[in-house]
Amino acid sequence: MSIHDERIVATAQATLLATSRLETEIRAGDFVGTADDPAAGKPGAGPTPTEYLMMALASCTAITLRSYADRKYDYAGDITVHVAYHEPTTVGAARHLRRTIRLSEEVPEEDFRSMVNIVENSPVTLLLQFAWSVRTDIANGPGDTATA
């Protein structure tokens, strides 16, 4: 593949000054933020790089679902996405991300199944699946949570 057969979708930059310990300036477009890796039990100046990754998956999932619901149905209500990184303590066990999605309003079953498929194909999910297993629980309204 040549450079002419691809496009840059996103860029980011991190700058860690020699005097800053682990507090890192991060940039994406016009956004400037801080990432940090604080000592155990101490507050950091910003989220850790891993937390930024979790936020990326959570926000991409919510944005993807909202875009789909608004275009197709306009009745999913509030969308809440929680992502947790599970690192095993047993040697050889697999790391994974657990994503839990809650819709505040119930949608018809056929539409709900479409939303589950959309989530599994959201851009950050596809990107992360190269490295991690992403397991999803999604709740259709205020009731039970289903695993996708």
Side-chain angles (χ1 to χ4, degrees):
M1 177 184 287
S2 75
I3 194 164
H4 302 291
D5 295 335
E6 59 191 35
R7 65 188 174 102
I8 296 172
V9 177
T11 64
Q13 175 179 312
T15 303
L16 180 56
L17 300 176
T19 58
S20 295
R21 184 64 187 118
L22 299 176
E23 188 177 323
T24 307
E25 177 187 272
I26 55 175
R27 294 177 175 270
D30 292 335
F31 172 81
V32 178
T34 301
D36 199 1
D37 195 3
K42 306 241 183 196
T48 68
T50 303
E51 290 167 331
Y52 271 108
L53 189 61
M54 301 305 97
M55 288 189 289
L57 179 59
S59 63
C60 180
T61 299
I63 290 167
T64 299
L65 276 177
R66 172 64 68 217
S67 297
Y68 182 74
D70 285 354
R71 189 173 61 251
K72 295 287 188 175
Y73 314 114
D74 197 31
Y75 55 71
D78 298 337
I79 300 168
T80 303
V81 182
H82 177 266
V83 177
Y85 170 38
H86 293 257
E87 188 170 73
T89 55
T90 305
V91 175
R95 299 172 183 193
H96 70 276
L97 305 178
R98 171 63 67 192
R99 170 174 51 193
T100 303
I101 305 164
R102 179 149 318 270
L103 307 177
S104 68
E105 297 184 23
E106 189 170 344
V107 300
E109 187 61 30
E110 183 178 328
D111 297 342
F112 180 69
R113 287 287 130 216
S114 293
M115 294 175 102
V116 170
N117 291 332
I118 291 294
V119 163
E120 293 304 322
N121 291 293
S122 66
V124 174
T125 301
L126 294 174
L127 183 64
L128 289 176
Q129 285 177 339
F130 286 113
W132 274 323
S133 168
V134 178
R135 303 171 189 176
T136 303
D137 296 321
I138 181 168
N140 188 5
D144 293 335
T145 302
T147 299

